[in-house]
Amino acid sequence: MTTKKTDLPMSSAEVEKAKDIKAKKTLSIDDEGFNQVEAIGVKMLEKGSRAAIEIAPYRPEYLDQVFNLKADKEGSKKPKFIDRETFMQPQGSKTIFGPDQRVVYNSTAYPWGCVGRVETALGYGSGVMIGPRHVLTCCHVIDFKSNGTTGWLKFSPMYYNGPNPTFGTANAVKIYYKYKVQGPTIDSTEGQYDYSVIVLDRNIGNTTGWMGAKAYSDSWDGQALWTHAGYPMDLTGAQRPVYQNSIALDGDNTTTDAHEAIYHQADIWPGQSGGPFWGYWSGTPYAVAVQSWQNASTNAASGGSDLLDLVNKARTEFP
């Protein structure tokens, strides 16, 4: 399926009324207790193609698709070791605008199980499955080394007080990026390219499914159509995921749609970096950006057609 650049995802009201989709199969388990994963042939896009305006998603037949999750009340209890009023205040990172709209959740249903926790030597971030063994996350969580390599990276889909027993944890074997973004601060150029694609050591996406991807268009600015999910340090100590709906995005109109900072006022805290922003086209989720940076007045994600090129390249060279 393709869409015109000006096509809009479903409105928040339409998503709220959407009916959940029941799974067609049950997950098969072998005698050793491991998942029997069906082999799926995925048609890859042309290497480096900029003609494509989207990347197709995938939902395994044994996973329900749920549009509106209930809050996880038990998991919403705040960790005692985090004080949001003082945590990271020297950096001015108090970036919750008005009442906190984030909701703690616990669900392996599609597409929520595609979102997971990223862990590196630099700390915690968030990411989303964007292919059979491909994760889309921010670039500034990557531990770049001076010899052209990077440090270790682990990804755990639907991490909740530990790796999910069905999905487990996978390790990075390749990391693709457009521009080397390194914290703790992010300048204006880095903010346009703060995304990377991780190639994992196994096809964990055949179990979780993966989101599609689209190039963000400034024609979508100002419309509250988007959902974000990630692992904040303040609410859950990066141990449980949160989401927020009805977010408006605003692409930087001084830069090209190919790579740009995308401003917003979703409720963001360190740990949510790399978490996806997505909308639904005909009930199907497509990521358009990942969380990048925050300050006391504005938060921002990174996206654009370069993000799609990066996903295309990683998926083509390491399917």
Side-chain angles (χ1 to χ4, degrees):
M1 182 183 70
T2 59
T3 58
K4 296 180 180 178
K5 192 173 183 180
T6 55
D7 286 349
L8 292 174
M10 297 164 62
S11 68
S12 296
E14 290 174 324
V15 174
E16 288 179 0
K17 295 178 181 178
K19 294 183 179 180
D20 297 341
I21 303 171
K22 287 293 184 182
K24 294 181 179 180
K25 295 182 178 180
T26 58
L27 186 63
S28 299
I29 305 295
D30 64 21
D31 294 337
E32 301 297 323
F34 296 100
N35 298 331
Q36 292 179 340
V37 180
E38 182 181 4
I40 304 292
V42 179
K43 183 179 180 180
M44 296 299 165
L45 297 171
E46 293 275 332
K47 180 179 179 181
S49 172
R50 300 204 74 155
I53 60 174
E54 65 181 50
I55 293 172
Y58 165 65
R59 177 176 70 90
E61 290 184 331
Y62 51 77
L63 288 180
D64 293 342
Q65 179 171 346
V66 175
F67 292 93
N68 302 287
L69 289 179
K70 296 180 179 179
D72 177 42
K73 295 181 180 179
E74 182 64 26
S76 297
K77 296 178 180 179
K78 296 179 182 179
K80 295 180 180 179
F81 56 88
I82 295 292
D83 178 4
R84 193 161 70 193
E85 296 305 313
T86 58
F87 180 62
M88 293 191 71
Q89 285 309 288
Q91 288 77 29
S93 295
K94 188 175 182 179
T95 55
I96 306 301
F97 302 107
D100 195 336
Q101 301 297 309
R102 296 171 298 172
V103 178
V104 179
Y105 70 92
N106 184 9
S107 175
T108 57
Y110 183 82
W112 307 95
C114 299
V115 179
R117 192 179 80 164
V118 172
E119 182 180 358
T120 75
L122 300 181
Y124 301 120
S126 305
V128 63
M129 295 302 302
I130 205 73
R133 57 172 178 149
H134 310 86
V135 175
L136 176 64
T137 185
C138 62
C139 191
H140 74 255
V141 77
I142 306 301
D143 183 20
F144 289 102
K145 303 295 185 181
S146 59
N147 63 358
T149 65
T150 71
W152 57 271
L153 183 147
K154 297 179 180 180
F155 181 69
S156 304
M158 196 48 230
Y159 184 100
Y160 186 97
N161 294 341
N164 182 274
T166 298
F167 302 150
T169 296
N171 299 305
V173 292
K174 299 288 181 181
I175 294 177
Y176 284 77
Y177 64 96
K178 286 276 186 175
Y179 189 93
K180 190 178 291 186
V181 180
Q182 295 176 285
T185 59
I186 294 175
D187 64 31
S188 58
T189 300
E190 291 173 325
Q192 300 174 48
Y193 295 95
D194 195 11
Y195 38 80
S196 59
V197 179
I198 314 304
V199 181
L200 301 175
D201 58 1
R202 61 191 179 94
N203 287 6
I204 200 170
N206 288 344
T207 305
T208 64
W210 59 82
M211 288 192 191
K214 287 179 180 283
Y216 185 79
S217 168
D218 286 346
S219 64
W220 302 334
D221 286 355
Q223 303 184 70
L225 303 170
W226 313 98
T227 297
H228 168 74
Y231 285 77
M233 287 297 299
D234 63 329
L235 280 185
T236 69
Q239 293 297 309
R240 299 177 294 282
V242 302
Y243 77 92
Q244 182 178 350
N245 288 330
S246 303
I247 299 168
L249 298 177
D250 182 14
D252 187 341
N253 57 18
T254 67
T255 57
T256 173
D257 278 6
H259 41 262
E260 64 177 343
I262 303 172
Y263 307 116
H264 62 86
Q265 288 203 330
D267 296 322
I268 296 295
W269 207 267
Q272 290 174 243
S273 290
F277 288 82
W278 76 88
Y280 294 93
W281 277 261
S282 300
T284 304
Y286 289 82
V288 298
V290 297
Q291 172 58 24
S292 174
W293 54 264
Q294 65 280 326
N295 61 35
S297 61
T298 305
N299 298 333
S302 290
S305 57
D306 280 356
L307 183 153
L308 261 67
D309 285 350
L310 202 63
V311 176
N312 285 345
K313 188 173 181 64
R315 287 184 45 165
T316 300
E317 295 183 353
F318 291 91

